[in-house]
Every structure is written in C-alpha cells, then in structure tokens.
Amino acid sequence: MEINELERMARAIRRRDLEAVYAAGAGHIGGEMSVIDILTALYFRVLKVYPDQPKHPGRDRFVLSKGHTACALYVTLAKRGFLPEEEIATFLAPHSRLNGHPNCNKVPGVETNTGPLGHGLPVAIGMAKAAKLSGAGYHTYVVTGDGEMQEGSNWEAIMAAAQFGLDNLTLVIDHNRFQQGASLADTNGLAPLRPRLEAFGWEVAEINGNAMAEVVPALEHRASRPYCIVAHTNKGHGISFMQDRVDWHHKVPNKDQYEIALAELSEAL
C-alpha cells in the first residue's frame, strides 16, 4: 500500500477497534489508538507474511509486547486476512479466542503470548538469534510500550541484542508518554529514550509515530546492528477527548462519547 492507502486503512482500523471495545465494554483503547499507525504500516507494507500460511517458515516475525492492546492487533489481522472480520464482534465474549491478550495457540498470526510486560522483547531477541543460528532470512519486529521499558528484563535483552549483533531485529517503542494511572514522567521517567538505547550500542531513530510518512521509511530501514524506533505518539490518537488523557488507558466510552468518537473517525474516512 502507498502512504495515503495506509492512512485510510489505519483510520478504518481505529473505527473498528472503537466499535469492538464499546461493544465488549472493556479494552485498552488509548494505547490501541496510539499504536495503530505502526501496526498498519507493518502488516500492509513492511512485513513479509502469508495469511493463508500463518506459520510459513520464511515469514517475518512480529511480537506485540504491549499485549493489552490486543484488540488493535486482532482488527489488523482480520483486515489482513488472518481471521474473519466478523469474528471481531466476539472480542472478550465467553469462549472467544479473541481474549484481552494475544494467544498464539488460538489466533493465527500471533507469534507468542504476551501480556506480562517485559516479556515480548526478550522473546523477539530469541527469534532473531534463532534466525542467525539457522541462517534464516526473516526479520523480527517487536513493539513495546514506553511504560513497559521500566521493566529490567527489557534492558537485559537490549544488552544481549547488542552482544549478538542482531541486525535482523527492529524494536519500536510506542512512546505515548502515559501508562496505567499516571504519566511516564511521574512514574519512572525514562525519557529521553534515544541516548539510553544508543549507550547500549543500538542504532536509534526518532519519529512521529502517528505520521505514516515517517513510520514507513523508519520501519523499512535496515541497520548494521540492532535498531530501535522511538515512535512519539499520542494516547487516544484520532479521538479528540481521549488524546493525551491518562484516564483513557483502559476506560470505555459511554454512549454519548462513543457517538462523538465514531463521528470523528468517520469524518476522517
């Protein structure tokens, strides 16, 4: 897809995500809205994946470490053809395979179970290292939240990636500046993230993570060492009353709010 097509797809995914969260009465809509541009660019432009063969050995690997934003991933996977679009209506329903966190044993296209923060990046580094050992040509991508970067396991993994020279690994940090209950700065202010990653031997780029024209080239870049994209995003991006509001980490809109949000996203389509 070209940039304008990706932008349109991202808006459609945002609208469907909103509908699913509202219908389910639960979700993590703020962080879903912030990461959707990244997911869209990955699945509709960058990733080498095969919806009809989700376990194809040559596929690129993608890990959504911030697994609480699973609904955004499910909608993206459905739009890409990994599962029926009508199945999104079952999000969080009893016996649905579309749980609050992704499950690789149930949902095609999900590479590993995520939810406990600080696990996805270490797993992704294992995938990248496995490719090096076996001579496989796939690339591994992982998206973490910025609050998640407070987990010490991530920094151990970052050291390991540099030690192993994993130039087949791309980390994207969804830097929306808020986590559950507070801002990043008020909890454990890691910013600025770029010099911290560079100090560990990584190549780092900083972009507007809600601007598709910046997201695509950053994701398509290939480095000679582990590569991190610090994606500056907005919590609740695309919905005026949600944007940059910490209470929308996992708040669900009421009927009036839902109609306002739906109208705003519909205008953008």
Side-chain angles (χ1 to χ4, degrees), residues 180-258:
Q180 181 172 319
S183 70
L184 187 71
D186 289 340
T187 306
N188 186 358
L190 294 172
L193 286 160
R194 181 173 192 161
R196 297 176 187 272
L197 271 292
E198 289 176 335
F200 281 87
W202 285 52
E203 180 177 329
V204 184
E206 289 192 81
I207 64 167
N208 178 345
N210 295 132
M212 199 64 73
E214 294 187 33
V215 172
V216 168
L219 287 171
E220 291 181 333
H221 175 71
R222 290 294 175 267
S224 59
R225 50 188 168 145
Y227 172 53
C228 175
I229 301 167
V230 178
H232 295 272
T233 62
N234 298 307
K235 197 96 167 180
H237 183 81
I239 301 173
S240 59
F241 61 86
M242 291 187 189
Q243 188 158 308
D244 296 334
R245 292 283 303 276
V246 67
D247 50 328
W248 286 102
H249 179 80
H250 52 53
K251 187 177 177 180
V252 177
N254 60 32
K255 186 175 185 296
D256 290 341
Q257 292 168 329
Y258 171 70

Side-chain angles (χ1 to χ4, degrees), residues 51-170:
D52 57 339
Q53 301 179 66
K55 295 297 186 182
H56 190 291
R59 72 192 183 281
D60 288 334
R61 271 59 166 177
F62 172 70
V63 175
L64 181 66
S65 191
K66 47 177 286 182
H68 53 284
T69 57
C71 189
L73 178 60
Y74 298 149
V75 175
T76 304
L77 288 172
K79 294 284 188 184
R80 188 65 174 82
F82 282 89
L83 57 143
E85 287 199 47
E86 56 267 25
E87 189 174 353
I88 299 300
T90 73
F91 175 59
L92 297 182
H95 309 296
S96 172
R97 60 180 177 171
L98 304 185
N99 296 324
H101 295 88
N103 187 323
C104 66
N105 298 308
K106 296 181 178 180
V107 183
V110 174
E111 292 289 346
T112 188
N113 295 12
T114 54
L117 298 178
H119 288 195
L121 178 56
V123 171
I125 285 171
M127 292 174 176
K129 179 62 172 174
K132 288 289 187 181
L133 291 171
S134 65
Y138 64 80
H139 196 92
T140 299
Y141 300 82
V142 56
V143 171
T144 70
D146 51 1
E148 181 181 3
M149 295 305 293
Q150 295 163 357
E151 298 283 354
S153 53
N154 282 325
W155 297 96
E156 294 178 23
I158 285 165
M159 285 189 286
Q163 172 69 26
F164 296 143
L166 299 182
D167 58 356
N168 58 346
L169 175 72
T170 297

